[in-house]
Amino acid sequence: QVQLVESGGGLVQAGASLRLSCAASGRTFSSFAMGWFRQAPGKEREFVAAITWSGDSTAYSDSLKGRFTISRDNAKNTVYLQMNSLKPEDTAVYYCAADVHFAVGTPVSPTLYDYWGQGTQVTVSS
């Protein structure tokens, strides 16, 4: 079992930055890949970014590349999502997820992830 707890969400104005954190427990954090997804009201869950177990490879949604950065600190069992130049359309619940079966991948599909956090709300006002 893996427990994931997100934090760092909130209400910000357009153009601001936020850093989300996701703390993992229950299994060896450095043995699995991690991802971030988001879901806006009335929309499907959307891939944001993913990172391999070592952090040496990352993947991003094409629409978010350049503004968002995923990173991890295996010593702290934490994955981060740095979000810059936020826009109102970034408003969503952000979820982190763990893929415990393929540590060297950066899965885009949510179906490939095994564990999910409860989500943290990000609201960007115009």
Side-chain angles (χ1 to χ4, degrees), residues 36-123:
W36 284 97
F37 291 78
R38 68 184 186 183
Q39 189 166 18
K43 295 187 177 181
E44 293 187 352
R45 192 162 295 191
E46 173 190 18
F47 172 74
V48 174
I51 189 168
T52 56
W53 73 273
S54 63
D56 63 350
S57 182
T58 57
Y60 294 92
S61 166
D62 286 342
S63 65
L64 300 175
K65 196 178 298 183
R67 292 196 299 124
F68 288 16
T69 303
I70 188 171
S71 62
R72 67 189 294 160
D73 185 339
N74 287 344
K76 295 182 178 180
N77 293 345
T78 302
V79 62
Y80 304 98
L81 184 68
Q82 178 67 43
M83 306 185 294
N84 298 328
S85 302
L86 284 164
K87 305 175 181 179
E89 51 264 43
D90 294 320
T91 295
V93 178
Y94 284 72
Y95 300 90
C96 67
D99 172 8
V100 302
H101 293 101
F102 191 52
V104 298
T106 52
V108 174
S109 171
T111 62
L112 295 176
Y113 289 83
D114 307 287
Y115 298 96
W116 293 82
Q118 81 290 347
T120 185
Q121 177 70 47
V122 173
T123 303

